[in-house]
Amino acid sequence: MLRHYNEPTLGIPSFPGSHLVMDDHYIYLSGLTAADLPDGAALLGDIRAETHQIMEYLSRLLAHAECTLDDSVRVDVHLTDLALQADFDAVYARWFSAPFYPTRTCTVSPQLAGGASVEVTLMARRPQQR
């Protein structure tokens, strides 16, 4: 059975979707940018600050499903410029237990919603299903 969840601090999504959808095995999180976050507009343009806040909110969303970022199996990253990847990675890597990182795709998306520099989405496996 699918369950849908919207994080109250993020408000109702501005798109036709949910912040998080889970079934008995997996958790799927919608893409998240700093522009989606309360007071996130102040972070725009600072890739490290944007990344930190996004990862914090992704962690919060996973906690709702009794998971952590270490339960992530796949992450999709969209950057407005690949030159930002090293700064993104410097923050991103700290949120996982090395060397057990999820699979990842990183693409260039020249224009992200709200003027953000990065968008992150992920899929996690629910611990009780391992």
PDB file of all heavy atoms in Angstrom, residues 39-69:
ATOM      1  N   ASP A  39      12.938  30.039   4.195  1.00  0.00           N
ATOM      2  CA  ASP A  39      14.121  30.909   4.238  1.00  0.00           C
ATOM      3  C   ASP A  39      15.252  30.427   3.335  1.00  0.00           C
ATOM      4  O   ASP A  39      16.379  30.903   3.444  1.00  0.00           O
ATOM      5  CB  ASP A  39      14.645  31.073   5.673  1.00  0.00           C
ATOM      6  CG  ASP A  39      13.593  31.649   6.608  1.00  0.00           C
ATOM      7  OD1 ASP A  39      12.814  32.514   6.149  1.00  0.00           O
ATOM      8  OD2 ASP A  39      13.548  31.229   7.769  1.00  0.00           O
ATOM      9  N   GLY A  40      14.977  29.499   2.452  1.00  0.00           N
ATOM     10  CA  GLY A  40      16.013  28.972   1.566  1.00  0.00           C
ATOM     11  C   GLY A  40      16.495  29.965   0.533  1.00  0.00           C
ATOM     12  O   GLY A  40      17.612  29.860   0.040  1.00  0.00           O
ATOM     13  N   ALA A  41      15.666  30.952   0.202  1.00  0.00           N
ATOM     14  CA  ALA A  41      16.060  31.941  -0.794  1.00  0.00           C
ATOM     15  C   ALA A  41      17.338  32.661  -0.377  1.00  0.00           C
ATOM     16  O   ALA A  41      18.140  33.059  -1.218  1.00  0.00           O
ATOM     17  CB  ALA A  41      14.933  32.936  -1.029  1.00  0.00           C
ATOM     18  N   ALA A  42      17.560  32.804   0.929  1.00  0.00           N
ATOM     19  CA  ALA A  42      18.764  33.477   1.423  1.00  0.00           C
ATOM     20  C   ALA A  42      20.025  32.683   1.113  1.00  0.00           C
ATOM     21  O   ALA A  42      21.122  33.243   1.105  1.00  0.00           O
ATOM     22  CB  ALA A  42      18.651  33.713   2.930  1.00  0.00           C
ATOM     23  N   LEU A  43      19.884  31.390   0.839  1.00  0.00           N
ATOM     24  CA  LEU A  43      21.036  30.527   0.578  1.00  0.00           C
ATOM     25  C   LEU A  43      21.411  30.461  -0.893  1.00  0.00           C
ATOM     26  O   LEU A  43      22.503  30.005  -1.220  1.00  0.00           O
ATOM     27  CB  LEU A  43      20.727  29.097   1.055  1.00  0.00           C
ATOM     28  CG  LEU A  43      20.278  28.925   2.492  1.00  0.00           C
ATOM     29  CD1 LEU A  43      19.836  27.490   2.729  1.00  0.00           C
ATOM     30  CD2 LEU A  43      21.383  29.322   3.440  1.00  0.00           C
ATOM     31  N   LEU A  44      20.501  30.874  -1.753  1.00  0.00           N
ATOM     32  CA  LEU A  44      20.719  30.708  -3.189  1.00  0.00           C
ATOM     33  C   LEU A  44      22.020  31.376  -3.624  1.00  0.00           C
ATOM     34  O   LEU A  44      22.326  32.494  -3.223  1.00  0.00           O
ATOM     35  CB  LEU A  44      19.534  31.267  -3.977  1.00  0.00           C
ATOM     36  CG  LEU A  44      18.209  30.547  -3.734  1.00  0.00           C
ATOM     37  CD1 LEU A  44      17.090  31.215  -4.517  1.00  0.00           C
ATOM     38  CD2 LEU A  44      18.307  29.071  -4.078  1.00  0.00           C
ATOM     39  N   GLY A  45      22.789  30.625  -4.423  1.00  0.00           N
ATOM     40  CA  GLY A  45      24.061  31.132  -4.898  1.00  0.00           C
ATOM     41  C   GLY A  45      25.253  30.607  -4.110  1.00  0.00           C
ATOM     42  O   GLY A  45      26.387  30.750  -4.527  1.00  0.00           O
ATOM     43  N   ASP A  46      25.005  29.988  -2.959  1.00  0.00           N
ATOM     44  CA  ASP A  46      26.069  29.389  -2.149  1.00  0.00           C
ATOM     45  C   ASP A  46      25.839  27.879  -2.168  1.00  0.00           C
ATOM     46  O   ASP A  46      25.049  27.349  -1.392  1.00  0.00           O
ATOM     47  CB  ASP A  46      26.023  29.931  -0.725  1.00  0.00           C
ATOM     48  CG  ASP A  46      27.107  29.364   0.178  1.00  0.00           C
ATOM     49  OD1 ASP A  46      27.698  28.309  -0.155  1.00  0.00           O
ATOM     50  OD2 ASP A  46      27.344  29.958   1.246  1.00  0.00           O
ATOM     51  N   ILE A  47      26.508  27.190  -3.086  1.00  0.00           N
ATOM     52  CA  ILE A  47      26.258  25.761  -3.306  1.00  0.00           C
ATOM     53  C   ILE A  47      26.449  24.939  -2.037  1.00  0.00           C
ATOM     54  O   ILE A  47      25.701  24.003  -1.780  1.00  0.00           O
ATOM     55  CB  ILE A  47      27.126  25.210  -4.471  1.00  0.00           C
ATOM     56  CG1 ILE A  47      26.762  23.759  -4.807  1.00  0.00           C
ATOM     57  CG2 ILE A  47      28.600  25.305  -4.151  1.00  0.00           C
ATOM     58  CD1 ILE A  47      25.420  23.563  -5.415  1.00  0.00           C
ATOM     59  N   ARG A  48      27.421  25.281  -1.219  1.00  0.00           N
ATOM     60  CA  ARG A  48      27.640  24.520   0.016  1.00  0.00           C
ATOM     61  C   ARG A  48      26.476  24.708   0.992  1.00  0.00           C
ATOM     62  O   ARG A  48      26.006  23.738   1.587  1.00  0.00           O
ATOM     63  CB  ARG A  48      28.968  24.909   0.657  1.00  0.00           C
ATOM     64  CG  ARG A  48      30.165  24.374  -0.108  1.00  0.00           C
ATOM     65  CD  ARG A  48      31.481  24.831   0.490  1.00  0.00           C
ATOM     66  NE  ARG A  48      32.599  24.293  -0.238  1.00  0.00           N
ATOM     67  CZ  ARG A  48      33.398  23.334   0.219  1.00  0.00           C
ATOM     68  NH1 ARG A  48      33.216  22.823   1.417  1.00  0.00           N
ATOM     69  NH2 ARG A  48      34.399  22.888  -0.516  1.00  0.00           N
ATOM     70  N   ALA A  49      26.006  25.916   1.142  1.00  0.00           N
ATOM     71  CA  ALA A  49      24.873  26.179   2.046  1.00  0.00           C
ATOM     72  C   ALA A  49      23.601  25.538   1.498  1.00  0.00           C
ATOM     73  O   ALA A  49      22.823  24.948   2.254  1.00  0.00           O
ATOM     74  CB  ALA A  49      24.678  27.683   2.238  1.00  0.00           C
ATOM     75  N   GLU A  50      23.383  25.645   0.194  1.00  0.00           N
ATOM     76  CA  GLU A  50      22.207  25.008  -0.416  1.00  0.00           C
ATOM     77  C   GLU A  50      22.246  23.503  -0.168  1.00  0.00           C
ATOM     78  O   GLU A  50      21.241  22.906   0.239  1.00  0.00           O
ATOM     79  CB  GLU A  50      22.154  25.270  -1.923  1.00  0.00           C
ATOM     80  CG  GLU A  50      21.760  26.675  -2.310  1.00  0.00           C
ATOM     81  CD  GLU A  50      21.603  26.834  -3.810  1.00  0.00           C
ATOM     82  OE1 GLU A  50      20.991  25.954  -4.461  1.00  0.00           O
ATOM     83  OE2 GLU A  50      22.101  27.848  -4.348  1.00  0.00           O
ATOM     84  N   THR A  51      23.399  22.890  -0.421  1.00  0.00           N
ATOM     85  CA  THR A  51      23.534  21.440  -0.265  1.00  0.00           C
ATOM     86  C   THR A  51      23.294  21.027   1.179  1.00  0.00           C
ATOM     87  O   THR A  51      22.568  20.055   1.443  1.00  0.00           O
ATOM     88  CB  THR A  51      24.929  20.981  -0.729  1.00  0.00           C
ATOM     89  OG1 THR A  51      25.108  21.371  -2.096  1.00  0.00           O
ATOM     90  CG2 THR A  51      25.088  19.470  -0.593  1.00  0.00           C
ATOM     91  N   HIS A  52      23.868  21.750   2.116  1.00  0.00           N
ATOM     92  CA  HIS A  52      23.688  21.404   3.530  1.00  0.00           C
ATOM     93  C   HIS A  52      22.205  21.429   3.918  1.00  0.00           C
ATOM     94  O   HIS A  52      21.704  20.488   4.546  1.00  0.00           O
ATOM     95  CB  HIS A  52      24.479  22.357   4.424  1.00  0.00           C
ATOM     96  CG  HIS A  52      24.276  22.087   5.871  1.00  0.00           C
ATOM     97  ND1 HIS A  52      24.929  21.066   6.532  1.00  0.00           N
ATOM     98  CD2 HIS A  52      23.449  22.656   6.785  1.00  0.00           C
ATOM     99  CE1 HIS A  52      24.524  21.034   7.791  1.00  0.00           C
ATOM    100  NE2 HIS A  52      23.627  21.989   7.965  1.00  0.00           N
ATOM    101  N   GLN A  53      21.505  22.475   3.545  1.00  0.00           N
ATOM    102  CA  GLN A  53      20.092  22.583   3.900  1.00  0.00           C
ATOM    103  C   GLN A  53      19.247  21.512   3.221  1.00  0.00           C
ATOM    104  O   GLN A  53      18.336  20.944   3.828  1.00  0.00           O
ATOM    105  CB  GLN A  53      19.552  23.969   3.568  1.00  0.00           C
ATOM    106  CG  GLN A  53      20.023  25.040   4.519  1.00  0.00           C
ATOM    107  CD  GLN A  53      19.589  24.766   5.943  1.00  0.00           C
ATOM    108  OE1 GLN A  53      20.381  24.331   6.762  1.00  0.00           O
ATOM    109  NE2 GLN A  53      18.340  24.995   6.247  1.00  0.00           N
ATOM    110  N   ILE A  54      19.544  21.224   1.967  1.00  0.00           N
ATOM    111  CA  ILE A  54      18.803  20.177   1.256  1.00  0.00           C
ATOM    112  C   ILE A  54      19.011  18.833   1.949  1.00  0.00           C
ATOM    113  O   ILE A  54      18.049  18.101   2.201  1.00  0.00           O
ATOM    114  CB  ILE A  54      19.239  20.101  -0.225  1.00  0.00           C
ATOM    115  CG1 ILE A  54      18.756  21.345  -0.967  1.00  0.00           C
ATOM    116  CG2 ILE A  54      18.721  18.829  -0.880  1.00  0.00           C
ATOM    117  CD1 ILE A  54      19.391  21.516  -2.331  1.00  0.00           C
ATOM    118  N   MET A  55      20.245  18.504   2.261  1.00  0.00           N
ATOM    119  CA  MET A  55      20.527  17.222   2.907  1.00  0.00           C
ATOM    120  C   MET A  55      19.873  17.149   4.281  1.00  0.00           C
ATOM    121  O   MET A  55      19.376  16.092   4.681  1.00  0.00           O
ATOM    122  CB  MET A  55      22.033  16.982   2.994  1.00  0.00           C
ATOM    123  CG  MET A  55      22.743  16.901   1.643  1.00  0.00           C
ATOM    124  SD  MET A  55      22.047  15.694   0.486  1.00  0.00           S
ATOM    125  CE  MET A  55      22.488  14.165   1.312  1.00  0.00           C
ATOM    126  N   GLU A  56      19.831  18.260   4.981  1.00  0.00           N
ATOM    127  CA  GLU A  56      19.164  18.285   6.289  1.00  0.00           C
ATOM    128  C   GLU A  56      17.674  17.979   6.144  1.00  0.00           C
ATOM    129  O   GLU A  56      17.114  17.197   6.910  1.00  0.00           O
ATOM    130  CB  GLU A  56      19.367  19.647   6.937  1.00  0.00           C
ATOM    131  CG  GLU A  56      18.873  19.721   8.359  1.00  0.00           C
ATOM    132  CD  GLU A  56      19.273  21.024   9.021  1.00  0.00           C
ATOM    133  OE1 GLU A  56      20.470  21.211   9.287  1.00  0.00           O
ATOM    134  OE2 GLU A  56      18.356  21.845   9.254  1.00  0.00           O
ATOM    135  N   TYR A  57      17.036  18.576   5.143  1.00  0.00           N
ATOM    136  CA  TYR A  57      15.607  18.322   4.934  1.00  0.00           C
ATOM    137  C   TYR A  57      15.360  16.906   4.413  1.00  0.00           C
ATOM    138  O   TYR A  57      14.375  16.268   4.804  1.00  0.00           O
ATOM    139  CB  TYR A  57      14.986  19.370   4.002  1.00  0.00           C
ATOM    140  CG  TYR A  57      14.331  20.464   4.792  1.00  0.00           C
ATOM    141  CD1 TYR A  57      15.071  21.531   5.267  1.00  0.00           C
ATOM    142  CD2 TYR A  57      12.982  20.412   5.112  1.00  0.00           C
ATOM    143  CE1 TYR A  57      14.484  22.531   6.022  1.00  0.00           C
ATOM    144  CE2 TYR A  57      12.384  21.398   5.859  1.00  0.00           C
ATOM    145  CZ  TYR A  57      13.137  22.454   6.317  1.00  0.00           C
ATOM    146  OH  TYR A  57      12.550  23.436   7.067  1.00  0.00           O
ATOM    147  N   LEU A  58      16.225  16.412   3.556  1.00  0.00           N
ATOM    148  CA  LEU A  58      16.065  15.025   3.104  1.00  0.00           C
ATOM    149  C   LEU A  58      16.172  14.073   4.289  1.00  0.00           C
ATOM    150  O   LEU A  58      15.399  13.115   4.404  1.00  0.00           O
ATOM    151  CB  LEU A  58      17.100  14.681   2.035  1.00  0.00           C
ATOM    152  CG  LEU A  58      16.929  15.380   0.688  1.00  0.00           C
ATOM    153  CD1 LEU A  58      18.116  15.084  -0.216  1.00  0.00           C
ATOM    154  CD2 LEU A  58      15.621  14.991   0.018  1.00  0.00           C
ATOM    155  N   SER A  59      17.095  14.355   5.178  1.00  0.00           N
ATOM    156  CA  SER A  59      17.247  13.550   6.392  1.00  0.00           C
ATOM    157  C   SER A  59      15.979  13.600   7.234  1.00  0.00           C
ATOM    158  O   SER A  59      15.514  12.585   7.758  1.00  0.00           O
ATOM    159  CB  SER A  59      18.447  14.055   7.188  1.00  0.00           C
ATOM    160  OG  SER A  59      18.613  13.305   8.352  1.00  0.00           O
ATOM    161  N   ARG A  60      15.395  14.780   7.354  1.00  0.00           N
ATOM    162  CA  ARG A  60      14.149  14.949   8.121  1.00  0.00           C
ATOM    163  C   ARG A  60      13.007  14.165   7.485  1.00  0.00           C
ATOM    164  O   ARG A  60      12.217  13.523   8.182  1.00  0.00           O
ATOM    165  CB  ARG A  60      13.798  16.431   8.195  1.00  0.00           C
ATOM    166  CG  ARG A  60      12.568  16.712   9.025  1.00  0.00           C
ATOM    167  CD  ARG A  60      12.223  18.174   9.042  1.00  0.00           C
ATOM    168  NE  ARG A  60      13.340  18.952   9.571  1.00  0.00           N
ATOM    169  CZ  ARG A  60      13.353  20.265   9.630  1.00  0.00           C
ATOM    170  NH1 ARG A  60      12.327  20.962   9.199  1.00  0.00           N
ATOM    171  NH2 ARG A  60      14.396  20.907  10.117  1.00  0.00           N
ATOM    172  N   LEU A  61      12.919  14.219   6.167  1.00  0.00           N
ATOM    173  CA  LEU A  61      11.864  13.468   5.475  1.00  0.00           C
ATOM    174  C   LEU A  61      12.038  11.968   5.678  1.00  0.00           C
ATOM    175  O   LEU A  61      11.070  11.249   5.915  1.00  0.00           O
ATOM    176  CB  LEU A  61      11.854  13.816   3.986  1.00  0.00           C
ATOM    177  CG  LEU A  61      11.266  15.180   3.642  1.00  0.00           C
ATOM    178  CD1 LEU A  61      11.660  15.594   2.227  1.00  0.00           C
ATOM    179  CD2 LEU A  61       9.759  15.169   3.793  1.00  0.00           C
ATOM    180  N   LEU A  62      13.268  11.489   5.594  1.00  0.00           N
ATOM    181  CA  LEU A  62      13.513  10.065   5.806  1.00  0.00           C
ATOM    182  C   LEU A  62      13.203   9.654   7.243  1.00  0.00           C
ATOM    183  O   LEU A  62      12.717   8.548   7.485  1.00  0.00           O
ATOM    184  CB  LEU A  62      14.959   9.715   5.455  1.00  0.00           C
ATOM    185  CG  LEU A  62      15.268   9.678   3.969  1.00  0.00           C
ATOM    186  CD1 LEU A  62      16.766   9.542   3.747  1.00  0.00           C
ATOM    187  CD2 LEU A  62      14.508   8.567   3.269  1.00  0.00           C
ATOM    188  N   ALA A  63      13.474  10.526   8.194  1.00  0.00           N
ATOM    189  CA  ALA A  63      13.188  10.222   9.600  1.00  0.00           C
ATOM    190  C   ALA A  63      11.696   9.980   9.805  1.00  0.00           C
ATOM    191  O   ALA A  63      11.309   9.162  10.639  1.00  0.00           O
ATOM    192  CB  ALA A  63      13.678  11.350  10.500  1.00  0.00           C
ATOM    193  N   HIS A  64      10.865  10.661   9.029  1.00  0.00           N
ATOM    194  CA  HIS A  64       9.418  10.435   9.111  1.00  0.00           C
ATOM    195  C   HIS A  64       9.090   8.971   8.830  1.00  0.00           C
ATOM    196  O   HIS A  64       8.147   8.418   9.380  1.00  0.00           O
ATOM    197  CB  HIS A  64       8.672  11.345   8.130  1.00  0.00           C
ATOM    198  CG  HIS A  64       7.216  11.030   8.042  1.00  0.00           C
ATOM    199  ND1 HIS A  64       6.317  11.400   9.003  1.00  0.00           N
ATOM    200  CD2 HIS A  64       6.519  10.323   7.125  1.00  0.00           C
ATOM    201  CE1 HIS A  64       5.120  10.944   8.673  1.00  0.00           C
ATOM    202  NE2 HIS A  64       5.212  10.294   7.547  1.00  0.00           N
ATOM    203  N   ALA A  65       9.892   8.343   7.974  1.00  0.00           N
ATOM    204  CA  ALA A  65       9.682   6.938   7.617  1.00  0.00           C
ATOM    205  C   ALA A  65      10.619   6.013   8.397  1.00  0.00           C
ATOM    206  O   ALA A  65      10.828   4.868   8.015  1.00  0.00           O
ATOM    207  CB  ALA A  65       9.900   6.751   6.120  1.00  0.00           C
ATOM    208  N   GLU A  66      11.174   6.529   9.495  1.00  0.00           N
ATOM    209  CA  GLU A  66      12.088   5.777  10.359  1.00  0.00           C
ATOM    210  C   GLU A  66      13.314   5.270   9.600  1.00  0.00           C
ATOM    211  O   GLU A  66      13.763   4.139   9.785  1.00  0.00           O
ATOM    212  CB  GLU A  66      11.349   4.644  11.066  1.00  0.00           C
ATOM    213  CG  GLU A  66      10.214   5.158  11.929  1.00  0.00           C
ATOM    214  CD  GLU A  66       9.402   4.060  12.592  1.00  0.00           C
ATOM    215  OE1 GLU A  66       9.598   2.879  12.276  1.00  0.00           O
ATOM    216  OE2 GLU A  66       8.562   4.410  13.438  1.00  0.00           O
ATOM    217  N   CYS A  67      13.854   6.123   8.748  1.00  0.00           N
ATOM    218  CA  CYS A  67      15.051   5.824   7.973  1.00  0.00           C
ATOM    219  C   CYS A  67      16.069   6.949   8.156  1.00  0.00           C
ATOM    220  O   CYS A  67      15.747   8.005   8.696  1.00  0.00           O
ATOM    221  CB  CYS A  67      14.715   5.719   6.491  1.00  0.00           C
ATOM    222  SG  CYS A  67      13.741   4.274   6.072  1.00  0.00           S
ATOM    223  N   THR A  68      17.269   6.694   7.665  1.00  0.00           N
ATOM    224  CA  THR A  68      18.312   7.713   7.640  1.00  0.00           C
ATOM    225  C   THR A  68      18.868   7.795   6.222  1.00  0.00           C
ATOM    226  O   THR A  68      18.539   6.954   5.362  1.00  0.00           O
ATOM    227  CB  THR A  68      19.465   7.377   8.606  1.00  0.00           C
ATOM    228  OG1 THR A  68      20.187   6.254   8.077  1.00  0.00           O
ATOM    229  CG2 THR A  68      18.957   7.077  10.008  1.00  0.00           C
ATOM    230  N   LEU A  69      19.733   8.745   6.000  1.00  0.00           N
ATOM    231  CA  LEU A  69      20.363   8.851   4.690  1.00  0.00           C
ATOM    232  C   LEU A  69      21.186   7.611   4.360  1.00  0.00           C
ATOM    233  O   LEU A  69      21.368   7.282   3.187  1.00  0.00           O
ATOM    234  CB  LEU A  69      21.214  10.116   4.604  1.00  0.00           C
ATOM    235  CG  LEU A  69      20.387  11.392   4.421  1.00  0.00           C
ATOM    236  CD1 LEU A  69      21.230  12.625   4.719  1.00  0.00           C
ATOM    237  CD2 LEU A  69      19.807  11.468   3.021  1.00  0.00           C
TER     238      LEU A  69
END
